[in-house]
Amino acid sequence: MNRTIASLTSMLIVSGCQSVSDSPEHAGRNTVFLSAQHCLSEYLEDLEKNHYGPCLKVVSVAGTAPAVTREGFIELPVATPLMLETSCVYRHADGSPIPQTMETVEFTITPQTFSKPGERWYLHAHKQARDVVGCEPTLSRSTYPTYKTD
């Protein structure tokens, strides 16, 4: 009987450990999670195809290469001013990058930018996926473009 109880206890401990998330959001730190890189795209219903918009990658955080989690996020402190260096590139119709369009732009994070710990944020290269020029980083809680193109 003691053996049965010990076996059940072991199984409960193991199954309990497996159900605990190893996500950085559960670490209890005073941080937010910013996508290390993100590409915009927009489905064009009238053409029945996907339009590949620009991609943005965070190159440095306060002058240092960022540490990226397994999920592709950078952990940043809440209410802390930082300077991000980003790299943007536009893509061909097949989704491959157009190297000639590569542009580097700084993005400023103020103490007011992130106020709630544990949230995931996405830094987009622009507000929409189509008909845009240049790299204008836009912060969003969504993976989708801020505006759909008409």
Side-chain angles (χ1 to χ4, degrees):
M1 182 146 160
N2 285 340
R3 223 177 188 172
T4 305
I5 292 173
S7 294
L8 284 173
T9 303
S10 294
M11 287 182 355
L12 286 173
I13 290 172
V14 169
S15 65
C17 290
Q18 290 173 347
S19 67
V20 173
S21 174
D22 63 346
S23 171
E25 294 168 328
H26 297 96
R29 291 181 229 136
N30 198 25
T31 59
V32 295
F33 303 92
L34 179 68
S35 60
Q37 60 184 24
H38 183 71
C39 295
L40 290 175
S41 63
E42 184 177 344
Y43 184 74
L44 308 176
E45 291 182 27
D46 54 332
L47 299 176
E48 296 181 350
K49 72 173 198 165
N50 202 29
H51 173 79
Y52 296 102
C55 294
L56 179 142
K57 180 178 181 177
V58 177
V59 180
S60 73
V61 176
T64 304
V68 180
T69 67
R70 286 191 319 244
E71 291 109 359
F73 287 86
I74 300 166
E75 205 169 334
L76 298 174
V78 172
T80 304
L82 291 168
M83 184 63 68
L84 304 179
E85 184 178 356
T86 66
S87 174
C88 298
V89 67
Y90 283 79
R91 298 184 287 166
H92 291 287
D94 66 358
S96 64
I98 305 170
Q100 301 86 340
T101 65
M102 181 79 67
E103 183 179 353
T104 303
V105 174
E106 289 185 342
F107 183 79
T108 303
I109 294 177
T110 69
Q112 294 76 33
T113 304
F114 303 121
S115 59
K116 189 174 178 185
E119 292 183 331
R120 287 184 182 233
W121 288 88
Y122 299 87
L123 194 57
H124 302 299
H126 225 287
K127 290 181 181 174
Q128 60 192 46
R130 293 182 359 164
D131 300 330
V132 293
V133 177
C135 184
E136 295 182 21
T138 304
L139 198 57
S140 175
R141 295 272 296 128
S142 171
T143 58
Y144 299 104
T146 305
Y147 302 113
K148 280 192 171 188
T149 310
D150 293 332

